[in-house]
Amino acid sequence: MRTFTTLEGNSQRLDGGAMFGNAPKALWSRWVETDEQNRIKLSCRALLVQEDDRNILIETGIGAFFSPQLKERYGVVEHSHVLLDSLAAVGLTHEDIDVVVLTHLHFDHAGGLLSAWQDGEEPQLLFPNATFVIGERHWARARRPHPRDQASFIPQLIELLTASGRVELIRDGQRSTTLGKDWRFRFSDGHTPGLMLPEFDMPDGPVVFPGDLIPGSPWLHLPITMGYDRFPETLIEEKEALLNDMVASNGRLVFTHDAQIAVAHVERDEKGRFGARQAQGNVQRMAV
């Protein structure tokens, strides 16, 4: 039996203009609220999949590894490592996780792999019993990032993952030896080269974790991209292909950054516009 649970990690407040790219505030302010600094609330949500007596975690959020100065710069809200608290709430610790799947290695998606900041201490790699499943092309990108997104990676994390000897790299079109044939991966280049989207089946249709290809329900609108996206036009084409598949297969998406909606089916109206259907907040041990 397979179940999935959405888990909150540390949340952020980031500039709304950056999160909605070239869309004017008059448009995106219909979907989200801003504070006095024009920032919007963002989750850094992970997904726990439990199957065959193993615990599989998709992403780890931003975590609490930043120093107080950087925590303020990047709008991280909480001081503690919230994902560890969320795991504890479902009876687990980071040591109980067997596999960690990472869509990509930007700090707001992989920073939760590291222990919380302590003055004078180097961060430690958590999840000591897990295999880390990462896309091969994105791993190469993280090891030699472009100046455009160099600041999005954590050099110490790459070193710690390499030293662990527990990284499985997935080539485009391949399955994971660790996860087995029941898991599939889509690959995307619009946000960052080699973004990897894990997909698995539930009785009523597939579930996809789209990461930053579709970070939340407002980004279901095809033209909406983020200022952080490397290749927006490519991203829109990739997004449309995924959303068409989700409509056809009754699939669900799990949103990592949506502060309100964690899981939703996808619908398309008579004008061809995509939207969320049967949207839900966080779910626990969902089996259908």
Side-chain angles (χ1 to χ4, degrees):
M1 181 178 178
R2 174 183 290 151
T3 66
F4 66 88
T5 299
T6 55
L7 300 175
E8 289 296 325
N10 292 71
S11 60
Q12 284 185 280
R13 290 180 179 270
L14 287 181
D15 182 82
M19 288 302 298
F20 288 100
N22 65 348
K25 185 177 181 180
L27 176 62
W28 58 257
S29 60
R30 303 174 189 172
W31 307 319
V32 294
E33 295 180 357
T34 60
D35 65 13
E36 67 281 356
Q37 298 181 53
N38 204 47
R39 301 178 305 176
I40 66 173
K41 295 180 180 179
L42 295 171
S43 289
C44 289
R45 186 177 290 110
L47 180 64
L48 173 67
V49 182
Q50 296 178 287
E51 61 178 29
D52 302 328
D53 298 320
R54 63 180 180 176
N55 300 309
I56 300 162
L57 187 67
I58 302 177
E59 296 207 337
T60 62
I62 197 169
F65 75 98
F66 274 137
S67 67
Q69 180 182 10
L70 290 176
K71 175 180 173 292
E72 177 68 21
R73 178 185 301 177
Y74 291 109
V76 183
V77 177
E78 303 88 358
H79 295 288
S80 64
H81 197 318
V82 174
L83 178 63
L84 301 187
D85 298 335
S86 295
L87 284 169
V90 295
L92 299 174
T93 73
H94 67 102
E95 296 172 340
D96 295 317
I97 300 301
D98 301 293
V99 187
V100 178
V101 183
L102 296 158
T103 65
H104 62 307
L105 290 164
H106 289 172
F107 61 72
D108 56 327
H109 296 260
L113 292 173
L114 298 174
S115 58
W117 181 86
Q118 295 185 56
D119 191 14
E121 300 288 334
E122 290 295 318
Q124 302 298 310
L125 183 65
L126 302 176
F127 305 95
N129 301 309
T131 298
F132 303 103
V133 179
I134 306 167
E136 184 178 67
R137 286 196 296 114
H138 187 72
W139 177 255
R141 173 75 168 204
R143 290 172 65 88
R144 298 187 64 182
H146 189 277
R148 173 67 170 74
D149 61 357
Q150 186 171 7
S152 296
F153 295 101
I154 312 167
Q156 304 100 305
L157 175 58
I158 308 304
E159 295 168 5
L160 289 168
L161 287 170
T162 301
S164 76
R166 290 181 279 120
V167 173
E168 181 189 8
L169 300 180
I170 307 298
R171 293 182 179 178
D172 292 31
Q174 280 189 335
R175 301 285 176 112
S176 164
T177 301
T178 301
L179 289 171
K181 61 182 177 62
D182 289 340
W183 285 71
R184 303 178 295 278
F185 301 99
R186 300 167 184 255
F187 288 88
S188 164
D189 295 317
H191 176 66
T192 185
L195 181 81
M196 186 173 74
L197 285 56
E199 178 177 357
F200 56 88
D201 289 323
M202 297 298 287
D204 59 344
V207 176
V208 175
F209 193 97
D212 276 345
L213 177 64
I214 310 174
S217 54
W219 291 269
L220 289 170
H221 299 281
L222 276 186
I224 301 299
T225 62
M226 296 186 290
Y228 304 108
D229 296 329
R230 291 292 291 116
F231 306 105
E233 291 185 7
T234 298
L235 184 143
I236 289 170
E237 294 167 358
E238 294 168 340
K239 180 164 59 170
E240 184 174 25
L242 172 60
L243 293 176
N244 279 328
D245 285 350
M246 292 295 95
V247 172
S249 63
N250 192 43
R252 278 174 288 194
L253 300 177
V254 177
F255 300 123
T256 187
H257 286 316
D258 196 308
Q260 303 297 326
I261 298 175
V263 183
H265 289 271
V266 180
E267 63 182 3
R268 193 167 195 174
D269 66 18
E270 65 281 357
K271 295 184 178 180
R273 298 172 298 195
F274 292 103
R277 176 173 62 85
Q278 296 178 333
Q280 297 176 267
N282 283 313
V283 299
Q284 186 167 341
R285 292 193 170 94
M286 177 171 276
V288 293

